[in-house]
Amino acid sequence: MFLEFKKQVTAALENALASLGLEADDLGLEPSQHADIASKVAFRLAAKAKSNPKELAEKIVAAIELPEGSLIGDIKTTGPYINITAGRNYVDNTVNSILEEKEAFGGNFCKGRILLEHTSANPNGPLHVGHIRNSIIGDTLVRILKKAGYEVETQYYVNDMGRQIAIVSWALSLFEFDTSRKPDHAIADVYIKANALLNENPEKVAEIDKRMQLVESGDEETIKSFDEAVGFAVSGIKETLLRMNVSHDSFPHESGFIRSGAVSRIVEEIKATGRTEDDNGALVVDLSDYGFEKTLVIQRTDGTSLYTTRDLAYHEWKGERADRMIDVLGADHKLISGQLKATLNAIGKPEPEIVIFEFVSLPEGSMSTRRGKFISADDLLDQIEQQAYVEVEKRRPEMTDEFKKEVSRMVGIGAVRYDIVKVSPEKSTVFNWEEALDFEKQGAPFIQYSYARACNILKKAEEEGKWDPAQKIDPSLLTEDTEIDLIKKMASFDSIIDLCARDLKPHTIAIYARELADSFNQFYRFVPVVSAEEDDIRASRLALVNCARIVLSNALDTLGIGAPESM
């Protein structure tokens, strides 16, 4: 609803400026403590209008004409600022729209096809804590973009022919594969053994190099061994991702771009730019005019391609199939992603939008590690769900074990997802499960509890015969400050989705969800709802609780967090 309000504000200001013979490329619209939105256009046009900003602001306001049914209420000046407050129509329309649109509220204002790649961890073992932020940021962005109205395909780009996979396939020929273990963990076991063997016997590295040459030349037996190794790992990784409410639409494999000839073609396209040169037998690309001192290697001395070469072919393929490409990558990919974009630009191909995130870590000693190597995502999720169960048991000891397990699963996964996504991607973060599970810290459990509270209020009112969800209500009866604040907070949901979709920073929706839950709790704290004496006011307030339930559910769904009806 806020986007429509902003659109009407824009039209009103532009029409007023036109009547004064003025025009502005930017109206300077921004949030304000004194109104729902403010404009500093008078600052920008004062010199052109040969007027001081304060006087020009007053002239603009005087020239504004609002059509009947406008969402705009008061328009006032404070010095050179034009402060615009939403009117009663805005409030009433918001309530009616939420009740009518339900889960569709707040979205479907964008068009276009997007291919978004995230996670894409090497299939040589399970996902570890370091991968979790990539998955959660990526999946939340997918949900945001879909909510905005985009057609989004989520891809996991599978490295099925690099050195690490060559080592895994070699390891499977030497060591027994433990089929009793989760397959990605079993792959890690043989991979660790193989690396130890290579460290003890450096001459065996030649066997790995040979496998890489064979797979790139199309040797069927070697390809089969690589596929088998990758299949085991990816199947386990998928299980972990689904546990975190993360899924992918497709899993394109690197090898497909070798076999299709796409890698050879893109190497020739790069050569045609005149940027390539021989560096001790390797083929490298000069990107110095793009600001990169280091050259980009696209072919080894033995003629085999690199991950980067295949990644270029992959992006060329993606660029032909979407309006936008988005990659979610760790901070260690800053250089290579910049070189990839520059190379694609040099050959006239679409470039991806890159979301770079800093890494997530754990407080020292808070979790046990597996043989000191890494903390798997599975280990972390097991422990967080166990701790969530303790919290649920403490609050709802009378409930069944099935209830406690289901709620602890939603609360645990929600805590992990929220605590990681609430921080802007470019900032590093430390995941602390004690803080993440604290119901008083206004994290995921706080938002989930607010949703469950709304469900409980409505259920109780319906059982007492005080609420009929089909009853028509009068939103104009909602006049208390906390009621208006809650309605306006819900109305801004579409603008938050729009901002996140443009900036590709999902932490904004996390902050919004927390603020929405807080607004709902403030309303319920200060305004009698079920106990309201007048029937029509009670009905309107219960409808407002229902609105909060709907928008809280929408926000949680966008965050990929479960919404338990009881906690």
Side-chain angles (χ1 to χ4, degrees), residues 115-230:
L115 289 182
L116 190 148
E117 179 207 342
H118 71 78
T119 307
S120 299
N122 285 329
N124 59 345
L127 296 180
H128 56 66
V129 172
H131 296 125
I132 286 180
R133 199 174 190 197
N134 190 320
S135 303
I136 292 172
I137 288 173
D139 183 68
T140 308
L141 283 174
V142 168
R143 292 168 181 271
I144 288 166
L145 293 164
K146 285 183 176 180
K147 184 68 180 174
Y150 291 104
E151 178 191 351
V152 186
E153 180 180 331
T154 316
Q155 296 189 337
Y156 185 120
Y157 183 45
V158 181
N159 172 5
D160 65 336
M161 58 184 306
R163 179 170 294 277
Q164 291 173 321
I165 309 309
I167 293 172
V168 172
S169 74
W170 181 67
L172 287 175
S173 71
L174 298 174
F175 306 109
E176 184 179 353
F177 183 77
D178 188 352
T179 56
S180 68
R181 295 203 4 107
K182 191 163 172 278
D184 48 338
H185 288 263
I187 284 291
D189 293 343
V190 297
Y191 179 68
I192 290 167
K193 289 178 183 177
N195 274 292
L197 183 60
L198 288 170
N199 286 334
E200 294 170 6
N201 304 276
E203 72 280 1
K204 291 187 178 293
V205 171
E207 295 182 37
I208 306 303
D209 293 338
K210 181 65 175 176
R211 281 177 174 266
M212 292 174 67
Q213 292 167 9
L214 286 170
V215 77
E216 190 147 349
S217 66
D219 182 76
E220 290 187 9
E221 187 177 341
T222 309
I223 289 170
K224 184 179 178 181
S225 71
F226 274 46
D227 287 346
E228 181 184 29
V230 168

Side-chain angles (χ1 to χ4, degrees), residues 230-249:
V230 168
F232 283 133
V234 170
S235 65
I237 288 169
K238 284 181 180 179
E239 284 183 43
T240 305
L241 289 170
L242 287 173
R243 190 176 174 186
M244 294 192 294
N245 299 330
V246 176
S247 63
H248 291 79
D249 299 308

Side-chain angles (χ1 to χ4, degrees), residues 38-100:
S39 170
K40 53 184 181 182
V41 69
F43 270 125
R44 305 186 175 204
L45 296 180
K48 185 177 180 181
K50 299 179 180 178
S51 173
N52 73 58
K54 181 176 181 298
E55 290 177 355
L56 180 57
E58 290 170 352
K59 288 179 183 178
I60 294 169
V61 169
I64 290 175
E65 294 182 6
L66 299 178
E68 188 176 344
S70 174
L71 300 179
I72 299 171
D74 291 335
I75 304 176
K76 297 177 180 177
T77 61
T78 301
Y81 287 95
I82 300 172
N83 294 319
I84 304 106
T85 303
R88 189 69 230 183
N89 285 335
Y90 179 73
V91 174
D92 295 350
N93 288 3
T94 296
V95 172
N96 289 329
S97 294
I98 295 170
L99 295 175
E100 180 182 341

Side-chain angles (χ1 to χ4, degrees), residues 3 85 92 193 212-213 273 278 283 301-302 313 324 340 374 381 396 415 421 460 467:
L3 291 180
T85 303
D92 295 350
K193 289 178 183 177
M212 292 174 67
Q213 292 167 9
T273 65
D278 183 284
L283 187 66
T301 54
D302 62 5
R324 291 170 68 186
L340 180 139
F374 59 83
L381 296 174
R396 300 298 299 275
V421 84
K460 182 180 178 182
W467 181 57

Side-chain angles (χ1 to χ4, degrees), residues 540-556:
S540 294
R541 288 177 179 170
L542 283 166
L544 183 54
V545 172
N546 196 24
C547 287
R549 179 192 66 82
I550 291 167
V551 183
L552 280 167
S553 175
N554 290 355
L556 285 167

